Amino acid sequence: MNTISLNGQWELYYLSQKDSEIVHPDQLCNGQADRMTAQVPGNVELDLWNAGLIKDPYVGSHIKDLEPFELYEWWYVRDFDTPAKPGRTELIFHGVDCIATYWLNGKEIGRSDNMLIAHAFDVTESLQASGSNRLVVRLQSSIYAAMRQEYDPSMWAMDYNWSQLWIRKAAHGFGWDITPRAVSAGLWRDVELVVHDEVEIRTPYFYTKRIDRHGAWIGIQYNLQADPALFREMTLRFVGTCGESRFERQCRVNFSSGNLDFHVDGAKLWWPRGYGEANLYEIRTQLLHGDVVLAERKDSFGIRTVELVRSEWTSTDTKGEFLFKINGEPVFCKGSNWVPADMFHSKDKARIPRILDLFAEMNCNMVRVWGGGVYEDHDFFERCDREGFMVWQDFAFACALYPQTEKFYEKVREEARFIVRKLRNHPSLILWCGDNEIDMFSFNRQIDPGTNKISREVLPSAIQQCDPYRPYLASSPYYSEEVWERRNAALAPEDHLWGSRDYYKSKYYTESNMHFVSEIGYHGCPNVESIVKFIDEENRWPWRGNPQWALHGSDPMGLDGCWSYRTELMANQVKEMFGEVPDTLEEFAIASQISQAEAKKFFVEMTRLKKWRRTGVIWWNMIDGWPQFSDAVVDYYFSKKLAFSYLRRVHQDVCIMIDEPSDWHVRAVLSNDTFEAKRGSYKIWDADTGRTLLEGHFVATVNGNVDLGRIRISHSDQKMFFIEWTMDGTTCYNHYLLGFPGFSLERYKGWMNQLSLLENGVQV
């Protein structure tokens, strides 16, 4: 294929849709619309900002200035030359937000209404024979489009974003607690012209059927564009290499599609981070006629099986399950939820590599792509493939009850088939999940979650059709028939632990029945250096009754909105831990970060300490998509909060932790999330006195936990224990905070400084 980029500078005309009389590109120069230069990929708000027509939407209250533009229409215009190479030519828009009509040389060539998938148009007959062509894209208001739909009692959304229900664009843009309301528009991913070859090997589907002691059985389904007169004269050759491992297979071409199953002796398997190498085969595919290569391509493929072992419900008295097995082995999952990389998605591509660096530094082995955002592109998944990150992929449905009509089902089928076919070759992708929390919202509204045909019929049938070798979960959390019949959500084996978000060691967290925690979080203030970048000087302090703190909370309605309580929640969590709320921004910020760091560390430890009763934790969340006060452990400007370092310690493959008191003692436990029997030495001591409390040598159980011993304590104490262990020539650290709040903030800061010195090689 010959690919020609149409990215770069376009003309952009814009006007209020209500007042618009423009229905065809020929009318653009009648003086009714304003005009400016736009960048593609881009979002119209960024173009307005670059043109000096709006103020920085990331700062202060300027995001509210964008609301009138929700009702505008936008006309993108670009001229390009006809490709010199002849052939079937497609115009491909990889991301269009959202209600679009397309013209080429004055003729309408198509329409689309889905931001989340690519749109391709055959323009072979629409191009000029030579010379220049004019391409025009009209984007109309998503709000007006939503108003033309019908809304039934079976549907539901949060007060400020009912307009999301029918419109297939990233739900968070209509207003969420993690991003502001920014109902954007734009050509947010690449635009390109593709001239196809006469003979092509289209993207094959690679799959692993099973693993055995000699290697693995894999399969390849192929699809070709070729002259049928040459069927049975052509052959396909597949050559796969991964280090010293190599396989080669050939088959005769009897039709444009077919498949080949075969055994790879001594196959190098793809493993998640911590459990082995993320081995990837480069597969070179050639279509031959005799000895002549008619077409060829290269792909990568990871040989691995994935199984989700789960029960329909669980309780303290029943043996339930929610466990991922990779290549037949149980894997303990540690990771973070993936939220929008930016509130304006044309900026995602530049931010994603650096965000994934954070996941690697944290030693995550799982990334859950949350359903309120977009489907990430191949570069995201390719990095996850190489890093050994397991990707849990939600379909783009979140926190709402969507239309239950055949018209909407067909939209979902088209979207699901496109996304599944696009991403299914990535070994990192281990789970398709129907949505985020829709079962939960349905349950709370006393509607049987099992009646949701989107998650129970439409999506699983698309996966069975296009990707039958990967597991599917209907919702997160998923409420089975048994959970619904008993009207008891606490029976779900996988859950989102939010609750009242009070003291992080409350019974709500410690006594939950679930096996897998797929969302859990705690608020933490950004660093003061970041706060001064996005809060106007007159609004930086105090926090109470502060409209900018509420807006960056993120409440789309400010102090009157349903999320405006978040700032006070953060203050209450500080008071819970330290008995008082500091009266300066600097002290408030550090106290809040300590509260968040201890809470999130505890959430991971309480999960690892109960391995294999609990099998994974995906906390919320790594980084913000705009500047805000949130659960993220890294703010929008990539400035790390204290929680990042605390979580990095307890995400180590081998980690020593201390359990909560019982019978006048605490247990020291070593957890090993690898397939190796690790050996080393350890020491635990009192941070104040330096007195050694427990020490010795250890042999870590393969992929399991081992008790190291017990330490005598008193419940009246408020202490910090430092934990050090050395293994394979590396020394690692953790700590344990003993006692009930409130703690002294000044005393805690002293402990924190000591631990920082230890990690930097300074004896204390």
Side-chain angles (χ1 to χ4, degrees):
M1 294 184 294
N2 180 31
T3 301
I4 301 164
S5 173
L6 298 184
N7 292 345
Q9 187 171 300
W10 291 50
E11 291 180 283
L12 182 59
Y13 296 81
Y14 60 101
L15 72 164
S16 167
Q17 184 170 318
K18 180 181 178 182
D19 302 326
S20 176
E21 298 175 358
I22 302 174
V23 296
H24 189 275
D26 290 346
Q27 299 171 284
L28 285 175
C29 295
N30 65 6
Q32 186 182 7
D34 292 314
R35 175 182 171 185
M36 64 178 171
T37 298
Q39 283 298 125
V40 174
N43 291 79
V44 295
E45 295 86 350
L46 300 177
D47 297 318
L48 291 167
W49 181 19
N50 289 334
L53 300 173
I54 62 170
K55 295 181 179 179
D56 184 348
Y58 294 87
V59 171
S61 302
H62 302 320
I63 189 70
K64 302 289 286 183
D65 298 338
L66 302 183
E67 290 180 5
F69 295 107
E70 296 178 7
L71 306 180
Y72 272 48
E73 62 180 49
W74 311 84
W75 293 73
Y76 282 83
V77 180
R78 162 77 189 251
D79 293 330
F80 65 92
D81 291 334
T82 298
K85 176 184 175 182
R88 184 175 69 87
T89 304
E90 281 189 305
L91 185 59
I92 302 178
F93 294 83
H94 289 279
V96 178
D97 188 4
C98 173
I99 312 299
T101 308
Y102 307 84
W103 287 269
L104 183 59
N105 297 323
K107 177 183 177 183
E108 183 178 324
I109 58 172
R111 300 189 178 201
S112 67
D113 59 1
N114 192 323
M115 168 194 180
L116 304 166
I117 61 176
H119 303 283
F121 305 97
D122 190 325
V123 295
T124 311
E125 303 301 324
S126 302
L127 291 168
Q128 302 285 8
S130 61
S132 184
N133 300 268
R134 171 150 291 197
L135 174 61
V136 179
V137 183
R138 178 193 195 185
L139 301 181
Q140 293 182 283
S141 165
S142 296
I143 303 302
Y144 282 126
M147 289 175 63
R148 291 193 289 269
Q149 305 299 327
E150 293 185 354
Y151 295 82
D152 298 312
S154 60
M155 298 167 66
W156 180 87
M158 289 176 278
D159 288 345
Y160 47 80
N161 57 15
W162 271 70
S163 45
Q164 84 174 75
L165 293 174
W166 275 97
I167 306 301
R168 296 308 296 148
K169 60 183 281 160
H172 72 87
F174 294 93
W176 221 267
D177 60 343
I178 58 163
T179 55
R181 182 177 176 91
V183 186
S184 186
L187 307 181
W188 68 280
R189 275 184 175 158
D190 295 339
V191 180
E192 58 189 17
L193 204 63
V194 176
V195 183
H196 290 272
D197 294 328
E198 187 176 347
V199 180
E200 288 181 352
I201 306 169
R202 295 170 181 162
T203 305
Y205 172 46
F206 303 105
Y207 53 94
T208 307
K209 296 178 67 177
R210 64 180 183 275
I211 307 293
D212 59 34
R213 60 179 181 172
H214 301 296
W217 284 93
I218 73 168
I220 303 173
Q221 184 197 2
Y222 58 85
N223 294 281
L224 310 172
Q225 174 63 42
D227 184 353
L230 299 180
F231 288 168
R232 291 170 294 283
E233 296 179 13
M234 296 184 292
T235 57
L236 269 173
R237 176 192 295 154
F238 303 95
V239 179
T241 55
C242 177
E244 297 177 355
S245 177
R246 186 180 187 276
F247 65 79
E248 181 174 347
R249 289 293 186 281
Q250 288 195 170
C251 65
R252 185 170 63 179
V253 174
N254 295 311
F255 185 60
S256 58
S257 296
N259 81 288
L260 183 67
D261 291 347
F262 56 92
H263 191 267
V264 178
D265 296 334
K268 287 193 169 187
L269 304 181
W270 185 93
W271 289 101
R273 194 178 186 89
Y275 285 93
E277 295 297 320
N279 292 305
L280 295 171
Y281 280 81
E282 181 185 87
I283 300 183
R284 182 181 181 188
T285 306
Q286 292 179 317
L287 178 64
L288 301 104
H289 184 234
D291 294 328
V292 177
V293 177
L294 302 180
E296 65 179 320
R297 61 177 296 137
K298 289 183 180 179
D299 299 276
S300 67
F301 171 53
I303 298 177
R304 63 102 185 94
T305 59
V306 56
E307 179 184 6
L308 174 57
V309 182
R310 63 173 182 82
S311 56
E312 295 292 288
W313 63 287
T314 193
S315 72
T316 52
D317 304 321
T318 346
K319 179 175 168 48
E321 285 188 292
F322 194 96
L323 170 69
F324 287 98
K325 287 187 173 182
I326 305 296
N327 303 324
E329 298 289 344
V331 168
F332 191 89
C333 303
K334 304 183 295 290
S336 177
N337 283 269
W338 182 272
V339 303
D342 199 281
M343 67 174 175
F344 297 127
H345 284 285
S346 64
K347 298 179 71 174
D348 290 356
K349 191 176 183 68
R351 288 176 59 84
I352 283 173
R354 195 171 172 190
I355 296 175
L356 288 174
D357 288 343
L358 296 171
F359 278 80
E361 184 180 351
M362 183 71 78
N363 196 38
C364 294
N365 66 7
M366 178 166 276
V367 183
R368 174 177 175 251
V369 182
W370 171 71
V374 299
Y375 303 105
E376 300 300 350
D377 214 341
H378 286 298
D379 51 357
F380 168 87
F381 283 91
E382 287 165 0
R383 175 75 183 275
C384 292
D385 293 343
R386 297 192 302 270
E387 294 283 358
F389 298 150
M390 296 176 285
V391 178
W392 167 321
Q393 177 67 60
D394 284 2
F395 283 95
F397 300 93
C399 301
L401 305 185
Y402 288 82
Q404 298 289 328
T405 70
E406 288 299 329
K407 175 183 175 182
F408 193 72
Y409 297 157
E410 191 50 43
K411 284 180 179 288
V412 175
R413 286 188 189 98
E414 178 189 9
E415 178 181 315
R417 288 168 182 156
F418 177 88
I419 291 299
V420 172
R421 286 167 175 155
K422 175 180 177 178
L423 300 178
R424 62 191 177 184
N425 278 338
H426 292 284
S428 56
L429 202 166
I430 67 163
L431 179 70
W432 295 111
C433 181
D435 59 62
N436 173 77
E437 295 184 346
I438 291 179
D439 274 19
M440 183 176 75
F441 279 91
S442 181
F443 184 95
N444 292 341
R445 294 189 63 77
Q446 300 177 4
I447 299 173
D448 182 357
T451 61
N452 179 6
K453 289 188 178 181
I454 296 170
S455 64
R456 268 44 176 200
E457 296 180 17
V458 177
L459 292 173
S461 66
I463 293 165
Q464 181 59 35
Q465 174 191 349
C466 303
D467 190 20
Y469 294 95
R470 191 174 269 110
Y472 172 75
L473 181 69
S475 185
S476 178
Y478 165 63
Y479 291 171
S480 64
E481 289 184 19
E482 291 83 352
V483 172
W484 170 250
E485 288 171 0
R486 291 169 172 81
R487 300 298 196 276
N488 186 356
L491 299 177
E494 166 260 339
D495 208 352
H496 298 180
L497 287 185
W498 291 110
S500 61
R501 307 185 70 177
D502 60 345
Y503 181 43
Y504 61 86
K505 292 185 181 181
S506 69
K507 288 184 178 180
Y508 174 80
Y509 296 111
T510 59
E511 296 185 7
S512 170
N513 292 326
M514 79 330 167
H515 302 278
F516 195 102
V517 188
S518 41
E519 283 188 21
I520 190 169
Y522 219 71
H523 255 51
C525 222
N527 295 318
V528 173
E529 295 80 5
S530 294
I531 295 173
V532 301
K533 294 179 182 178
F534 67 87
I535 299 292
D536 293 337
E537 185 174 0
E538 63 272 20
N539 286 286
R540 286 175 194 157
W541 194 257
W543 60 266
R544 191 182 298 278
N546 190 319
Q548 286 195 9
W549 277 58
L551 185 61
H552 286 266
S554 299
D555 197 301
M557 299 180 183
L559 289 171
D560 298 325
C562 63
W563 302 113
S564 60
Y565 75 91
R566 292 297 186 93
T567 306
E568 187 162 2
L569 169 66
M570 188 162 51
N572 288 338
Q573 291 169 343
V574 169
K575 188 175 188 300
E576 186 76 19
M577 184 155 189
F578 295 111
E580 60 183 1
V581 180
D583 57 7
T584 68
L585 175 60
E586 290 74 16
E587 288 291 280
F588 183 87
I590 188 59
S592 173
Q593 287 199 20
I594 292 170
S595 169
Q596 180 193 44
E598 284 290 347
K600 289 199 159 181
K601 181 176 92 75
F602 178 77
F603 295 155
V604 174
E605 289 179 329
M606 77 174 188
T607 310
R608 294 191 74 173
L609 286 164
K610 293 183 178 179
K611 184 182 181 178
W612 291 99
R613 177 62 175 79
R614 287 183 173 168
T615 59
V617 55
I618 313 173
W619 39 267
W620 191 280
N621 59 305
M622 183 66 79
I623 188 170
D624 292 316
W626 90 303
Q628 64 172 344
F629 305 94
S630 73
D631 299 273
V633 300
V634 181
D635 69 36
Y636 178 76
Y637 306 106
F638 288 91
S639 180
K640 297 171 183 173
K641 303 177 189 178
L642 182 64
F644 186 91
S645 61
Y646 280 25
L647 284 166
R648 183 174 55 196
R649 291 175 192 141
V650 295
H651 266 234
Q652 297 172 98
D653 292 337
V654 177
C655 183
I656 296 178
M657 302 163 289
I658 293 179
D659 205 351
E660 288 301 284
S662 177
D663 300 327
W664 302 99
H665 289 82
V666 292
R667 285 188 312 139
V669 178
L670 184 143
S671 186
N672 178 14
D673 292 347
T674 77
F675 292 141
E676 299 179 30
K678 302 285 188 177
R679 297 175 180 270
S681 60
Y682 71 95
K683 177 184 174 182
I684 302 172
W685 70 97
D686 186 309
D688 291 326
T689 66
R691 183 169 67 91
T692 298
L693 305 171
L694 198 67
E695 64 180 335
H697 296 272
F698 63 78
V699 178
T701 302
V702 170
N703 205 18
N705 288 0
V706 60
D707 285 1
L708 297 176
R710 301 203 308 163
I711 300 169
R712 172 82 180 191
I713 58 92
S714 170
H715 286 82
S716 64
D717 287 337
Q718 288 184 328
K719 293 180 176 291
M720 182 172 284
F721 299 159
F722 289 158
I723 308 167
E724 176 186 274
W725 65 99
T726 300
M727 180 184 65
D728 299 331
T730 300
T731 299
C732 304
Y733 294 93
N734 194 13
H735 74 273
Y736 172 71
L737 184 63
L738 172 68
F740 296 101
F743 295 93
S744 161
L745 178 57
E746 289 305 311
R747 188 181 180 197
Y748 190 99
K749 287 193 291 186
W751 291 331
M752 186 173 62
N753 291 334
Q754 287 185 65
L755 190 56
S756 177
L757 290 170
L758 278 172
E759 285 201 313
N760 287 296
V762 179
Q763 291 299 313
V764 296

